[in-house]
Amino acid sequence: MLAVFICLAAVILLTGSYYAYRIAFYSPPKDREKINNPKDPQYDPYRPEMKRIYHQLNNRPYEQVSILSHDGLKLHGRYYHIKDGAPLDIGFHGYRSNPITDFSGGSELSFQMEHNLLLIEQRAHCNSEGRTISFGILERRDLLCWVDYAIQRFGDDVKILLYGVSMGGATVLMASELDLPSNVKGIVSDCPYTKPLDVILHVGKTTAFPQWLIKPFAILGARIYGGFDLLETDAVQAVQNTKVPILIIHGEADHYVPCEMSELVSANPAMVERHTFPGAAHGISYLVDTARYHRIVKAFVQKVLE
């Protein structure tokens, strides 16, 4: 009888964790070309501008580049050359999104500052290889590979700024405690979450599954089927250990990644500057007040590049 119970428990754990993996972490290749078009009415006033800047960036000439990740995946990106010897901005997009959607606005700022721009396609997104999204755990080590690529290509003296939106924002923060080269002068993180598990549980509130059930299945699904530890690190821990100046931006009306999350992340005032945007939903602080967004980022960049 005990053996039957153990077998039944094992089947439940394996089935539940596999379901959690498929929902939260698995990235089907057939869905990767879809344009991220949020249906939330919060975005309605900004849709015409979102469409304009998306197509403006998507139609801009670029160079397709690629690298091998730390675990052997071929990762792709788009490189936009503005000027020889200019600083390089590297952008990391969000969960189940793409760099053109998430940086259509921010790219305008990079080009205004006459920075070269590298927009990467995160693992298991767009054209990059991989089937598992790890919420920044594995992606932060991909970031190191992209930084190494930039230094090898543009020289030991290239100045690098890291940008991230949503999951990309958490990725750049989690990478901030790693052994980043001195070329990385600053990090700009827009609407980041605290911990991968925190944001999974927050989004899970909209489902019929109780939090106490989501947590163990998410952790097991990541470990068994995704091959990574969901609790390995988080943005709060990483920022406490960072040696790189950080700018955090967050919309106060963000329902997907609550603004309070970045407040917890920014509890290292010696290294972190944080600004919030009233009325801004997830990832659209740039559109809600473009002029203020420009002023804040330009002032930060000027300070860290001095």
Side-chain angles (χ1 to χ4, degrees):
M1 191 66 180
L2 178 60
V4 173
F5 176 79
I6 292 173
C7 288
L8 181 60
V11 168
I12 292 172
L13 284 174
L14 290 172
T15 302
S17 58
Y18 180 69
Y19 179 77
Y21 168 76
R22 295 285 298 196
I23 295 297
F25 309 114
Y26 179 67
S27 176
K30 63 182 177 63
D31 292 339
R32 297 183 189 178
E33 297 304 317
K34 293 180 180 178
I35 296 175
N36 186 23
N37 187 22
K39 296 180 173 58
D40 194 314
Q42 286 182 297
Y43 294 87
D44 289 349
Y46 309 101
R47 293 191 193 281
E49 180 64 4
M50 290 166 67
K51 183 177 180 181
R52 182 192 71 80
I53 59 178
Y54 174 90
H55 287 293
Q56 178 175 277
L57 179 59
N58 198 41
N59 293 328
R60 190 180 185 106
Y62 65 91
E63 176 190 348
Q64 183 76 43
V65 297
S66 64
I67 63 167
L68 285 181
S69 71
H70 57 97
D71 52 356
L73 298 177
K74 188 173 184 180
L75 306 177
H76 293 268
R78 294 185 177 197
Y79 172 66
Y80 300 85
H81 186 79
I82 303 300
K83 187 170 65 174
D84 290 349
L88 176 68
D89 296 346
I90 307 180
F92 297 82
H93 65 79
Y95 177 76
R96 301 197 190 280
S97 189
N98 62 75
I100 306 306
T101 297
D102 289 358
F103 289 97
S104 52
S107 64
E108 292 187 322
L109 184 52
S110 293
F111 299 146
Q112 279 188 25
M113 295 187 294
E114 296 190 309
H115 290 189
N116 298 320
L117 177 64
L118 174 60
L119 296 180
I120 69 98
E121 298 173 358
Q122 299 255 44
R123 62 170 53 218
H125 289 81
C126 306
N127 298 302
S128 289
E129 292 181 346
R131 297 292 178 91
T132 297
I133 303 169
S134 70
F135 284 74
I137 300 295
L138 300 175
E139 290 85 354
R140 69 194 176 119
R141 299 199 181 279
D142 297 338
L143 181 151
L144 289 180
C145 298
W146 282 110
V147 169
D148 287 345
Y149 163 83
I151 294 171
Q152 290 175 20
R153 174 166 177 175
F154 301 110
D156 292 339
D157 59 346
V158 62
K159 295 179 179 180
I160 297 172
L161 293 157
L162 304 177
Y163 290 77
V165 176
S166 192
M167 187 185 84
T171 298
V172 296
L173 294 181
M174 284 190 263
S176 71
E177 70 173 345
L178 300 178
D179 189 20
L180 294 169
S182 60
N183 304 73
V184 178
K185 302 302 182 181
I187 293 172
V188 180
S189 176
D190 193 324
C191 56
Y193 46 77
T194 46
K195 305 176 182 180
L197 185 58
D198 285 351
V199 76
I200 290 170
L201 292 175
H202 175 73
V203 175
K205 291 177 182 178
T206 63
T207 71
F209 298 99
Q211 300 278 293
W212 62 266
L213 191 60
I214 294 174
K215 183 175 180 178
F217 284 147
I219 294 171
L220 284 172
R223 169 62 73 186
I224 296 171
Y225 301 104
F228 70 96
D229 180 1
L230 193 61
L231 306 179
E232 181 180 321
T233 190
D234 59 70
V236 178
Q237 169 190 309
V239 170
Q240 289 300 315
N241 299 320
T242 188
K243 297 178 182 178
V244 182
I246 293 170
L247 170 64
I248 293 178
I249 291 172
H250 213 137
E252 294 178 12
D254 191 335
H255 301 321
Y256 188 69
V257 178
C259 192
E260 293 77 14
M261 284 194 174
S262 66
E263 184 177 5
L264 294 171
V265 173
S266 62
N268 181 359
M271 298 304 292
V272 181
E273 174 186 340
R274 178 175 176 264
H275 298 268
T276 63
F277 282 66
H282 186 63
I284 60 168
S285 294
Y286 180 92
L287 295 171
V288 169
D289 193 341
T290 303
R292 180 175 174 235
Y293 199 103
H294 278 211
R295 287 196 304 272
I296 290 170
V297 175
K298 285 180 177 178
F300 174 78
V301 168
Q302 182 178 8
K303 179 174 65 177
V304 300
L305 291 184
E306 284 179 347

